Amino acid sequence: MDQLGDSDLGARVAYQRANVHGRAGDLAAASAGIEAAVAHLSAFTPVEQCSVFLSRGMLALETGDPRRAIVSFHEAAALSEQSGFVAQAQMARHNEGYARYLLGDLPGALTTMAAAAELETDFSSAPTVLDRARVLLEAGLVSEAVEMLHSGAESIVGPPGDGQDQLRAEFDLELARAEQLQGNHDLASEAAERARSAFARLGATAWAGRASLAGLLADLERHGGHRGSESASAAARATSVGADELVRTATTLGDHRLADNARVAGAAALFLGGDLVGAQQRLAGRASQPVSLSDELNVVGVTAAVEAAAGDTARARRLLSSAARRLEAGQQGSASLDVRTARAVHGAWLSGLDLRLALAHGAPTVLTTLERWRSATDRLPSLGRPADEELARLTERLRLVRGRIRAEPDRDPELEREADGLQRLIRARDWALTAEAESAVPAPIRIREARQVLTEDDRDLIWLFRQDDRLCALGIIRGRAAVRELMPFGQAAELAQRIRVDLRAVATQHLGALAPAVWGSLRAAAAALDEGVIRPWRSGAAGLVLVTCHELSALPWALLPSLAGRPLTVARSLTGYARRSGTPTVDEHPQPGRTVHVSVGPSLARAGAEADAIAATWGDAAEVVSPSRARVLVDALASPGVVHVAAHGTHEVQSPLFSCVALHDGPVFAHELQPTGVRADHVVLSACDVGSATFRPGEESLGLAASVISLGARSVVAAVSPVPDEIAADAMVAHHRALSRGRSSDEALAEAITGTDPVAASFLSLGGRFVP
């Protein structure tokens, strides 16, 4: 071409050669050809120019340079949009999102992919659905990813051999990974084998290796639960042999990521089988750094386990401490509580390993370890959410639809479907929001300072946690820390569930002659739990701070005999309690005086009287809003003071950020408090169930009360079970009267519960200790 003097033709030939080299695996030659094409873009038509930049971006992904890929895809998208090439624009934007995912920018990935999905084209959406599911898996939104993978796989129509078998197999491979994260090892193995068989038929050797690795990991976890057992040894041998074969195959193919992942799997297997030297050698053979946070944490976990077993527990714990900080950093880029709490799934098994190692070093080390992994969202910068008009519009529409559903005597399937669709759209948009860099960071507090707060408040602490099949706890009693093994975990969880069921029955059903029997069952279970969990500590302080594990959450603790009438705060951690406790300082809340806002929802016979009594208690400081409005309540929660909500409430187990309280213009959802945050000192949710929470791995919790705390409230009172209106009204008015006399939030609630019906024990004081 140079002899002909036709540089344009030369560029076009170079581009075609680059494509051939790329398919042959000669990435260096492919890169040179594409750069030659980029240097002579004028040789190409506008649509071809888009293809050149798309190819350049894909090659950058293949060579492990996602930053360069983003630049190329962005250029391709700009050219496509300028020329009106919608299909190319969609492909470029989607691929740019995938490159952002590889860099760990999950909100950026979801934002860009969502923008691509909004472009209407005739191309199949299945590949884009697959990529979005991969991002959701990395974000920790595992059940959502599983749902997306199933729906995406079902959208691929046609018989085997129709050219879609590679894509079907890739869906199965991601399903294997997702089921593994959920602990469904049998389903993971089945999906991995389907994928491996399909890839093998297609001659996709590297892909078949990835599927084989997924199957090996599922088998290892399914059979290798107890190190040293016969089943564990057999699983370890099989996985070790298979992993070594994969290392050789991947090395031959030049797939360094697969080779390194196989080395880590082999190391885990050898560790399980007791060959520590072999495990260390496999880990030392790794040639590259992990690409994703989940891979990085997996490497750290296996390395720490091996080092601890080899006797170097100090190095193991340093590695785990560093991993906890890395996970925390990976959570803070998002402006979505949903994503922040979900991503903790990738550190769940590391926290268990860290705690196991800490138990050999005494109570102070156990406390440090529990604090390290528990509720990282408490320590993260505030969300710093940007305003999002579309999200606000969708929320207003959902409020209207939910209000109509509540008002109609018969369920309307069309409205239900619309509400479900709106919730999906809202969650997807919420996931994509990135936290602003200037968002506020919580004031740091050291553990020794937190322990001093306990002493000053005259409070003891009991922190419950699971270790294998036992319920254990760390206690700080009169300033002294100790760790105890309390009772069989299954027995404790069974008692807790019995208490919840019986409490709901006495609160919601007319039991008649059965009432004494149900109350007897409830009190017996509460006494048994008290005997096994609280009494062994012989706590002597005026009050108690309790940190629960999720199996023992949402319990009416005031019904336990030794806690009756005693001030109690259920906290997320010791430092979380200490950070929120006490009287707000002038620096925190510079405006004079304290306001008391009262929102009254519809359809509550006693709500008006409850509001009037609270207003009379606080005098001119109180403002009653009836009929209530969502925007007014959100603004009140964003301001210092006391906020009381007397309304019907709902905890959504599957979608906890749609837990809500019902006001006159419709429900106020937990998720819509995120843009403004919560600055209220004390929030009283006189509503059923909204003190309940959905827990995620890492003991991260989501729900209305949990969100109010995460978003900045110092203290919350909320119920973990239905409470009859008249009982709730009496108890909450008594609570405010005690607060107005200067009693702290936990003291005021204990006094209120003691003076009303025992069902009022459903109300818990959560977060910190507010002192008026």
Side-chain angles (χ1 to χ4, degrees):
M1 302 308 142
D2 292 338
Q3 294 172 345
L4 294 174
D6 191 340
S7 59
D8 286 353
L9 180 58
R12 295 177 70 85
V13 171
Y15 180 58
Q16 292 302 321
R17 284 177 175 166
N19 286 325
V20 173
H21 286 307
R23 285 192 290 271
D26 187 350
L27 302 186
S31 179
I34 287 179
E35 292 308 314
V38 171
H40 294 84
L41 272 182
S42 60
F44 299 88
T45 66
V47 70
E48 290 171 339
Q49 291 177 18
C50 299
S51 296
V52 168
F53 279 107
L54 280 168
S55 298
R56 191 192 200 195
M58 294 303 296
L59 184 60
L61 290 182
E62 286 291 324
T63 56
D65 192 352
R67 286 184 173 82
R68 188 179 180 199
I70 288 173
V71 174
S72 296
F73 290 137
H74 191 78
E75 185 68 26
L79 286 170
S80 301
E81 289 162 0
Q82 180 180 343
S83 301
F85 303 141
V86 179
Q88 288 83 353
Q90 183 189 53
M91 186 182 302
R93 289 296 180 204
H94 178 81
N95 289 341
E96 179 186 344
Y98 191 76
R100 292 186 182 280
Y101 149 68
L102 293 177
L103 282 174
D105 178 11
L106 300 187
L110 289 165
T111 299
T112 312
M113 287 180 170
E118 291 175 3
L119 299 173
E120 295 184 5
T121 68
D122 295 331
F123 290 106
S124 168
S125 64
T128 63
V129 169
L130 178 62
D131 285 343
R132 291 181 73 186
R134 287 172 174 143
V135 178
L136 293 183
L137 276 180
E138 183 63 21
L141 295 160
V142 183
S143 60
E144 293 81 357
V146 169
E147 181 181 348
M148 186 173 288
L149 288 167
H150 280 299
S151 64
E154 290 168 1
S155 71
I156 307 173
V157 295
D162 63 352
Q164 300 292 306
D165 290 346
Q166 170 80 20
L167 186 58
R168 291 189 184 93
E170 288 186 42
F171 270 100
D172 273 330
L173 176 55
E174 296 307 320
L175 269 174
R177 292 170 175 161
E179 297 292 2
Q180 184 75 355
L181 276 174
Q182 290 188 316
N184 301 325
H185 307 313
D186 289 339
L187 292 176
S189 289
E190 292 168 7
E193 178 54 28
R194 287 197 304 272
R196 189 205 62 77
S197 297
F199 288 135
R201 286 194 302 272
L202 294 168
T205 307
W207 281 100
R210 294 167 196 163
S212 294
L213 180 60
L216 288 173
L217 291 173
D219 289 341
L220 186 67
E221 289 201 24
R222 181 173 63 238
H223 299 297
H226 300 286
R227 186 167 178 249
S229 68
E230 185 175 341
S231 62
S233 298
R237 286 192 297 272
T239 301
S240 176
V241 171
D244 287 346
E245 290 177 358
L246 281 176
V247 170
R248 290 190 290 271
T249 301
T251 302
T252 301
L253 294 170
D255 191 333
H256 301 299
R257 184 182 182 190
L258 174 58
D260 281 348
N261 286 341
R263 288 187 179 99
V264 175
L270 291 169
F271 159 75
L272 198 62
D275 183 358
L276 300 183
V277 174
Q280 290 171 326
Q281 290 172 345
R282 298 300 188 282
L283 291 169
R286 292 175 51 251
S288 60
Q289 293 298 314
V291 174
S292 66
L293 176 63
S294 55
D295 282 349
E296 179 184 342
L297 294 176
N298 186 55
V299 172
V300 170
V302 174
T303 305
V306 171
E307 292 299 324
D312 195 348
T313 56
R315 180 168 186 265
R317 299 199 71 244
R318 287 195 300 272
L319 286 169
L320 292 167
S321 177
S322 176
R325 291 192 298 271
R326 181 70 184 86
L327 177 61
E328 193 169 307
Q331 289 173 280
Q332 74 181 40
S334 176
S336 165
L337 274 178
D338 215 358
V339 174
R340 283 191 173 191
T341 56
R343 209 166 193 204
V345 68
H346 296 302
W349 80 279
L350 300 185
S351 65
L353 172 60
D354 203 5
L355 182 57
R356 186 181 300 278
L357 297 177
L359 286 168
H361 295 274
T365 304
V366 171
L367 176 59
T368 300
T369 303
L370 288 169
E371 283 281 355
R372 177 182 296 152
W373 295 97
R374 176 63 67 92
S375 297
T377 50
D378 256 10
R379 301 184 294 273
L380 297 181
S382 61
L383 293 175
R385 282 172 77 103
D388 190 290
E389 293 183 2
E390 178 63 12
L391 189 58
R393 185 191 69 79
L394 290 170
T395 300
E396 285 301 328
R397 177 61 188 168
L398 179 62
R399 191 183 339 277
L400 175 63
V401 171
R402 285 293 182 202
R404 287 176 59 189
I405 290 172
R406 188 179 187 89
E408 294 184 2
D410 298 320
R411 292 285 192 182
D412 184 336
E414 287 297 324
L415 286 178
E416 294 280 5
R417 279 192 288 271
E418 183 179 0
D420 290 342
L422 286 167
Q423 287 190 186
R424 285 194 293 273
L425 290 172
I426 289 169
R427 289 192 78 197
R429 197 163 188 93
D430 174 76
W431 296 335
L433 294 179
T434 304
E436 295 175 344
E438 62 270 21
S439 56
V441 180
I445 184 167
R446 300 176 186 273
I447 290 178
R448 66 171 179 268
E449 296 169 338
R451 292 181 67 166
Q452 183 60 34
V453 170
L454 282 180
T455 301
E456 293 169 358
D457 290 352
D458 194 17
R459 298 293 185 267
D460 289 333
L461 174 135
I462 299 174
W463 190 323
L464 305 174
F465 61 91
R466 181 178 185 173
Q467 188 62 28
D468 297 327
D469 59 353
R470 304 293 297 181
L471 177 66
C472 301
L474 175 135
I476 302 178
I477 309 299
R478 290 298 191 186
R480 295 175 64 89
V483 175
R484 290 179 183 272
E485 185 179 288
L486 297 177
M487 63 190 303
F489 189 84
Q491 179 186 356
E494 183 180 342
L495 287 170
Q497 182 60 16
R498 193 168 117 202
I499 290 171
R500 294 188 196 101
V501 171
D502 287 344
L503 180 67
R504 187 168 290 268
V506 298
T508 61
Q509 300 177 27
H510 299 290
L511 297 173
L514 291 176
V518 177
W519 269 110
S521 172
L522 174 55
R523 295 192 186 281
L529 194 63
D530 187 41
E531 189 67 31
V533 174
I534 305 298
R535 286 191 181 278
W537 295 99
R538 303 183 185 279
S539 174
L544 182 67
V545 177
L546 184 65
V547 183
T548 67
C549 51
H550 75 269
E551 292 89 350
L552 271 70
S553 66
L555 292 177
W557 292 100
L559 289 180
L560 275 60
S562 59
L563 295 180
R566 189 176 179 196
L568 172 72
T569 300
V570 177
R572 295 182 170 187
S573 66
L574 170 59
T575 56
Y577 166 82
R579 185 181 297 114
R580 293 180 174 89
S581 292
T583 304
T585 65
V586 174
D587 290 338
E588 287 177 297
H589 297 166
Q591 57 266 51
R594 171 173 291 108
T595 61
V596 178
H597 170 96
V598 183
S599 275
V600 181
S603 306
L604 284 173
R606 288 286 304 276
E610 180 179 342
D612 291 342
I614 292 169
T617 297
W618 291 102
D620 293 340
E623 174 195 26
V624 177
V625 179
S626 182
S628 52
R629 293 288 180 264
R631 185 71 255 167
V632 176
L633 176 57
V634 171
D635 290 343
L637 288 167
S639 303
V642 175
V643 175
H644 181 98
V645 184
H648 286 295
T650 303
H651 173 65
E652 295 285 347
V653 176
Q654 298 302 320
S655 299
L657 282 177
F658 292 97
S659 300
C660 63
V661 287
L663 302 185
H664 283 86
D665 63 342
V668 174
F669 304 103
H671 86 86
E672 65 182 300
L673 305 179
Q674 296 178 115
T676 56
V678 177
R679 295 189 68 213
D681 302 302
H682 186 55
V683 180
V684 180
L685 300 173
S686 184
C688 297
D689 282 323
V690 294
S692 298
T694 296
F695 282 80
R696 285 173 163 168
E699 297 291 345
E700 296 284 3
S701 57
L702 276 181
L704 183 57
S707 297
V708 169
I709 293 171
S710 291
L711 294 169
R714 299 174 69 89
S715 171
V716 175
V717 166
V720 295
S721 181
V723 183
D725 295 350
E726 64 277 7
I727 296 174
D730 290 344
M732 293 302 95
V733 169
H735 175 69
H736 279 276
R737 286 173 178 163
L739 283 176
S740 70
R741 298 196 305 271
R743 303 278 277 171
S744 65
S745 53
D746 57 346
E747 293 166 344
L749 183 61
E751 183 178 313
I753 291 172
T754 302
T756 53
D757 191 284
V759 172
S762 291
F763 284 102
L764 299 180
S765 178
L766 306 168
R769 178 173 171 266
F770 165 64
V771 180

